[in-house]
Amino acid sequence: MRYLKFIPALLLCGMAASCNSYQKLYEAQEYDQLIQNLSPKICDGDLNPKHINWVAASYHKANQADHNRIQELKATGQPDAWPEIYQRYVSMAGRYEALSCLPTQLKKDINYAPLDLDEEVMMARNKAETYLMAKINQLLVTRNPDDAAEAESYISQLRHTVPSNSHIMEYRRAAMLRQAEKVLVSFDNDKELSLPRGFAGELLAFEANTLPANISNFEERGKRYDVCVYVVLKDAVCKPDHLDKVSFSETNNGKKAQVSDYTMTKSATISGVVEFYDNSLKRVRFSYPFEVTSDFNYQYTTMEGDREACSQETLSKLENPTLPFPTDESLLLDAAKKLNGLVAAELRR
């Protein structure tokens, strides 16, 4: 039983230590940390006057500091100010949300007034996004490794500011490729699919001088590559020949003709993933899926009867000769050429 006597004393020591830590946060002007730690307790009913005073003072002092800094940044008129302006608006909105659960009377007591920041936050976000994208593009277009390294910091800001920006992954891949001294592009038939002869050649047949100087599609023995771009084929599907026929009659001054319109269709689709393997990290840093289709669609017309019965439209269609369906192999090779164009465009970004 004697041990129970120490429990109240231990509790008091713990409470004192806790209060001291809160006071230290306040004195160190770590206002957001203090609000984050104490606001849930107050919202749950712990109405310690000292805690309330610290939170209220932290809330107003932090908001005033952000407001002053925002006005100072806006006064510069510089576009590079918008990322910080946006983050400070976000901080103000976050504090407001953190205290939204306080009792109504307590909100009045601490002068918790409504903050309508939605419009300002959206405007600052848009301006920050515009600036960051312009800066990233400016640094990446030089293809200088040092500029690409600097661009990474702005890409990180963009990811934090607008996570939904559709260019983020494109920027990250481009920055990695520009910082690499040597990049190798190669083909990987992941499923060991049956492919026509020359498929890999068509896929990797990049036109001369169209790729950056640090990117090669031919592996040199003994050379170390910083990044390997693997075009990994997962599936190749060829749809069978399909022929549609529509027949109708045409007449003109008692003359008749039976006309048939034919539509030939066939396709081949290849799909997989492009992987960007970082040799320094020994892992794939980025990847994106691809699906490319080579379509064959051809129309021709036949006629039985008197040509003078045919309309001008039909007569023009009769000029199209009858053709055989392309082979599966030819369509797969054409799909490889199309994929080559997509990969080349990615590597040139």
Side-chain angles (χ1 to χ4, degrees):
M1 292 295 293
R2 66 180 184 275
Y3 296 113
L4 296 180
K5 297 179 181 179
F6 293 101
I7 292 178
L10 290 173
L11 289 174
L12 288 174
C13 290
M15 292 173 62
S18 177
C19 285
N20 286 337
S21 66
Y22 296 144
Q23 183 173 353
K24 287 179 180 178
L25 286 175
Y26 180 76
E27 291 173 350
Q29 299 183 20
E30 296 290 343
Y31 299 134
D32 286 328
Q33 186 65 47
L34 181 66
I35 291 171
Q36 182 179 342
N37 290 350
L38 277 180
S39 60
K41 297 179 181 291
I42 298 174
C43 289
D44 286 342
D46 182 4
L47 303 181
N48 183 309
K50 187 176 292 186
H51 291 175
I52 293 172
N53 287 337
W54 280 334
V55 166
S58 295
Y59 176 76
H60 292 296
K61 287 185 176 182
N63 278 352
Q64 188 62 52
D66 280 339
H67 173 77
N68 293 343
R69 179 59 177 163
I70 288 170
Q71 298 309 309
E72 178 184 334
L73 290 168
K74 285 184 176 180
T76 68
Q78 297 300 312
D80 60 355
W82 286 104
E84 183 180 346
I85 292 173
Y86 170 71
Q87 293 303 329
R88 287 185 177 272
Y89 272 132
V90 168
S91 295
M92 293 175 72
R95 292 183 206 107
Y96 182 79
E97 178 63 26
L99 300 189
S100 64
C101 58
L102 296 180
T104 302
Q105 184 57 49
L106 183 54
K107 289 179 181 178
K108 294 179 180 179
D109 293 341
I110 67 172
N111 194 25
Y112 173 85
L115 286 180
D116 186 10
L117 295 175
D118 290 348
E119 186 174 339
E120 286 83 356
V121 169
M122 183 60 67
M123 179 188 68
R125 177 181 181 271
N126 291 340
K127 287 182 177 290
E129 181 179 27
T130 298
Y131 164 73
L132 291 170
M133 289 182 65
K135 188 65 177 180
I136 292 167
N137 286 321
Q138 180 186 41
L139 290 168
L140 291 179
V141 76
T142 68
R143 297 194 171 277
N144 181 290
D146 293 335
D147 289 344
E150 184 181 352
E152 295 238 33
S153 65
Y154 292 98
I155 296 170
S156 179
Q157 288 186 60
L158 182 62
R159 292 174 64 189
H160 185 62
T161 303
V162 192
S164 61
N165 184 282
S166 61
H167 296 280
I168 289 175
M169 290 306 298
E170 168 193 326
Y171 289 149
R172 295 181 70 197
R173 292 194 295 265
M176 180 179 72
L177 292 177
R178 282 158 175 71
Q179 292 178 77
E181 184 178 351
K182 293 291 182 182
V183 178
L184 176 67
V185 186
S186 61
F187 170 64
D188 182 5
N189 186 358
D190 182 64
K191 303 294 184 181
E192 298 186 355
L193 302 169
S194 178
L195 298 171
R197 183 186 299 274
F199 183 91
E202 290 287 0
L203 175 56
L204 298 176
F206 302 106
E207 294 183 18
N209 303 320
T210 60
L211 294 183
N214 65 330
I215 300 178
S216 172
N217 63 343
F218 176 75
E219 185 174 5
E220 297 182 40
R221 186 185 298 272
K223 180 161 287 188
R224 182 187 181 281
Y225 293 90
D226 304 293
V227 175
C228 291
V229 180
Y230 298 111
V231 183
V232 184
L233 188 66
K234 300 285 188 180
D235 201 9
V237 178
C238 294
K239 290 187 177 180
D241 304 353
H242 185 76
L243 181 65
D244 282 329
K245 176 183 177 182
V246 176
S247 297
F248 54 93
S249 298
E250 290 190 347
T251 60
N252 183 24
N253 294 327
K255 298 175 181 179
K256 295 182 180 180
Q258 187 69 20
V259 180
S260 295
D261 286 339
Y262 294 88
T263 301
M264 305 168 65
T265 57
K266 186 176 182 176
S267 67
T269 299
I270 56 176
S271 58
V273 63
V274 178
E275 298 178 340
F276 294 74
Y277 185 88
D278 189 327
N279 273 315
S280 64
L281 300 176
K282 302 301 180 186
R283 65 177 177 86
V284 175
R285 282 187 61 189
F286 311 110
S287 65
Y288 66 88
F290 67 81
E291 183 176 285
V292 179
T293 299
S294 175
D295 286 308
F296 173 76
N297 191 306
Y298 183 74
Q299 295 178 334
Y300 67 92
T301 299
T302 63
M303 181 274 298
E304 294 179 359
D306 197 326
R307 288 179 63 92
E308 294 184 6
C310 297
S311 65
Q312 286 299 318
E313 181 181 359
T314 296
L315 291 173
S316 65
K317 290 180 180 179
L318 289 172
E319 299 297 324
N320 294 340
T322 302
L323 296 178
F325 278 95
T327 63
D328 292 352
E329 290 77 11
S330 65
L331 286 177
L332 286 170
L333 290 173
D334 183 63
K337 290 180 183 179
K338 290 185 175 182
L339 180 56
N340 169 275
L342 294 178
V343 173
E346 179 67 32
L347 297 176
R348 288 194 299 266
R349 288 184 188 278

